[in-house]
């Protein structure tokens, strides 16, 4: 059974700091990895996706993937109070299979 | 990105009634729609995959006779919760595939409360 594990948090960081969110997955054949942000009572919205080992940067966000360790992370630089949300890690085995989501990590950025 | 419109955004109903949730793709043709359910502080759990013009594929443990999914057109998929009970109270979200493999575009979600 495919599983995606995340620390539920809450993770509290001061404004301007780096927030580090971690995710592990059970299926070694997984190919696509996504980070979604979900505000309370709202649907998830895509932040980033990554396919290859290494880092991928987009603005203040950096996704890191290590397939050997079955580990994917999201770094948020210069954290802002508006970044306070639940961050969902999602994994897909192939392009046509449904995503498997982790439970999410709740991030709180304190002004 | 693609726009997926879902409504109602919230609904309160009495136990035993049926509730229909609609999900529309506004600017693209969605041959496949995914229906997820999310309980408080829990992960999104896939309920079923609906394909236009064919029967939906339900995940293990999801009652297909209770959660009726219809995907009669390329722009509309519906989920009907039949004979709803309080334990069906949840956040239901539809989604469609984006251009990137594995990427999903989500509807706004529907919060169902069964009294």
């Amino acid at each position: 059974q495919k599983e995606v594990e995340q620390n539920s948090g809450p993770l509290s960081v001061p404004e301007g700091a780096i927030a580090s969110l971690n995710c592990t997955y059970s299926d070694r054949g997984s190919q696509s990895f996504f980070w979604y942000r979900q505000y309370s009572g709202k649907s998830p919205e895509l932040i980033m996706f990554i396919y290859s080992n290494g880092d991928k940067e987009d603005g203040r966000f950096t996704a890191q993937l290590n397939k050997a360790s079955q580990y994917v992370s999201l770094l948020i630089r210069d954290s802002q109070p508006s970044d306070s949300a639940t961050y969902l890690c999602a994994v897909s085995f192939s392009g046509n299979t449904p995503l498997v989501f982790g439970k999410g990590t709740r991030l709180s950025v304190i002004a | 990105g693609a726009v997926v419109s879902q409504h109602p955004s919230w609904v309160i109903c009495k136990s035993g009634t049926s509730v229909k949730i609609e999900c529309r793709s506004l600017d693209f043709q969605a041959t496949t729609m995914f229906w997820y359910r999310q309980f408080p502080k829990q992960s999104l759990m896939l309920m079923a995959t609906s394909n236009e013009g064919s029967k939906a594929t339900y995940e293990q443990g999801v009652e297909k006779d209770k959660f009726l999914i219809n995907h009669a057109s390329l722009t509309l998929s519906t989920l009907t919760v039949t004979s709803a009970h309080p334990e069906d109270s949840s956040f239901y979200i539809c989604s469609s595939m984006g251009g990137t493999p594995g990427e999903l575009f989500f509807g706004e979600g529907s919060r169902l409360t069964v009294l």
Side-chain angles (χ1 to χ4, degrees):
Chain A
Q1 183 173 351
K2 300 179 176 60
E3 293 182 343
V4 178
E5 299 288 339
Q6 292 181 258
N7 187 323
S8 62
L11 173 65
S12 296
V13 299
E15 183 176 0
I18 296 175
S20 178
L21 305 163
N22 304 315
C23 172
T24 58
Y25 57 95
S26 63
D27 188 349
R28 188 170 288 278
S30 300
Q31 298 185 356
S32 308
F33 308 87
F34 300 81
W35 283 99
Y36 284 83
R37 177 175 61 197
Q38 186 177 25
Y39 292 110
S40 180
K42 302 294 185 181
S43 285
E45 53 182 333
L46 181 67
I47 297 176
M48 290 189 70
F49 59 87
I50 187 168
Y51 301 140
S52 304
N53 276 327
D55 296 358
K56 180 181 178 182
E57 186 175 318
D58 184 0
R60 295 187 296 114
F61 300 95
T62 299
Q64 299 175 318
L65 175 61
N66 184 327
K67 289 189 176 181
S69 300
Q70 295 174 234
Y71 174 93
V72 58
S73 65
L74 179 70
L75 300 178
I76 306 175
R77 289 181 298 281
D78 188 24
S79 297
Q80 302 297 310
S82 58
D83 294 327
S84 298
T86 296
Y87 289 80
L88 302 171
C89 174
V91 178
S92 174
F93 180 71
S94 71
N96 293 321
T97 57
L99 294 182
V100 177
F101 285 85
K103 289 187 177 181
T105 297
R106 188 158 57 93
L107 172 67
S108 178
V109 181
I110 303 169
Chain B
V3 179
V4 178
S5 177
Q6 181 176 348
H7 82 274
S9 56
W10 59 270
V11 58
I12 301 173
C13 69
K14 293 182 179 180
S15 184
T17 60
S18 295
V19 174
K20 178 185 284 189
I21 299 170
E22 292 188 350
C23 186
R24 294 181 184 272
S25 55
L26 299 184
D27 56 357
F28 67 104
Q29 293 181 330
T31 55
T32 302
M33 285 277 196
F34 300 104
W35 285 93
Y36 286 87
R37 177 170 56 182
Q38 186 180 35
F39 293 106
K41 297 185 179 180
Q42 296 296 313
S43 177
L44 276 74
M45 297 300 297
L46 180 66
M47 299 176 66
T49 302
S50 75
N51 294 295
E52 186 267 337
S54 63
K55 291 183 179 180
T57 302
Y58 289 81
E59 295 299 300
Q60 189 174 7
V62 178
E63 300 174 57
K64 61 181 180 181
D65 294 329
K66 180 172 182 63
F67 299 99
L68 302 179
I69 292 174
N70 184 287
H71 195 157
S73 77
L74 287 171
T75 59
L76 175 65
S77 178
T78 62
L79 167 66
T80 301
V81 183
T82 62
S83 186
H85 291 282
E87 59 265 30
D88 298 322
S89 299
S90 187
F91 191 50
Y92 292 86
I93 314 174
C94 66
S95 65
S96 184
M97 286 184 163
T100 302
E103 179 185 14
L104 293 179
F105 293 112
F106 287 93
E108 299 92 334
S110 301
R111 184 162 302 282
L112 170 64
T113 301
V114 185
L115 302 177

